C-alpha cells in the first residue's frame, strides 16, 4: 500500500505543478487509440429549446427532454 500511496502523492504534486489541459491530452490519446485519421472536435450543441449543453450522442435534452436528433427518415 505504501508504494502506491507514495506514487499517487508524487503524481498529484506533478499535476499541481503543471498547467496542462489534461482533458485535451486524454481525448487525443483516445483518438490515437481508436486509430482516427484526423482529430475532429465533437459537436456538442446547446438544446434549441432551453440551451442546455448535452452529450454529443444525446437524442433528447437532459433538462427539458426536447428531441435533439431528427426521427429516422425525417432529416
Amino acid at each position: 500500500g505504501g508504494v502506491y500511496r507514495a506514487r499517487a502523492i508524487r503524481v498529484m504534486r506533478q499535476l499541481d505543478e503543471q498547467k496542462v489541459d489534461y482533458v485535451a491530452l486524454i481525448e487525443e490519446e483516445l483518438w490515437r487509440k481508436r486509430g482516427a485519421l484526423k482529430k475532429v472536435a465533437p459537436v456538442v450543441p446547446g438544446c434549441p429549446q432551453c440551451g442546455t449543453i448535452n452529450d454529443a450522442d444525446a437524442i433528447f435534452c437532459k433538462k427539458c427532454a426536447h428531441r435533439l436528433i431528427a426521427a429516422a427518415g425525417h432529416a
Side-chain angles (χ1 to χ4, degrees), residues 45-54 61 63-64:
C47 172
Q49 189 75 25
C50 71
T52 299
I53 300 299
N54 291 279
C61 176
K63 182 175 182 184
C64 72

Side-chain angles (χ1 to χ4, degrees), residues 6-25:
R7 185 181 299 169
I9 291 170
R10 187 172 58 247
V11 169
M12 287 189 290
R13 285 186 182 143
Q14 288 174 342
L15 293 174
D16 287 341
E17 292 171 359
Q18 300 174 3
K19 301 297 179 201
V20 178
D21 185 359
Y22 291 101
V23 173
L25 288 174

Side-chain angles (χ1 to χ4, degrees), residues 23-43:
V23 173
L25 288 174
I26 291 167
E27 288 175 353
E28 185 176 312
E29 180 68 17
L30 288 173
W31 277 104
R32 191 171 26 254
K33 295 285 185 188
R34 291 180 184 147
L37 297 176
K38 63 180 185 177
K39 185 176 177 182
V40 178
V43 176

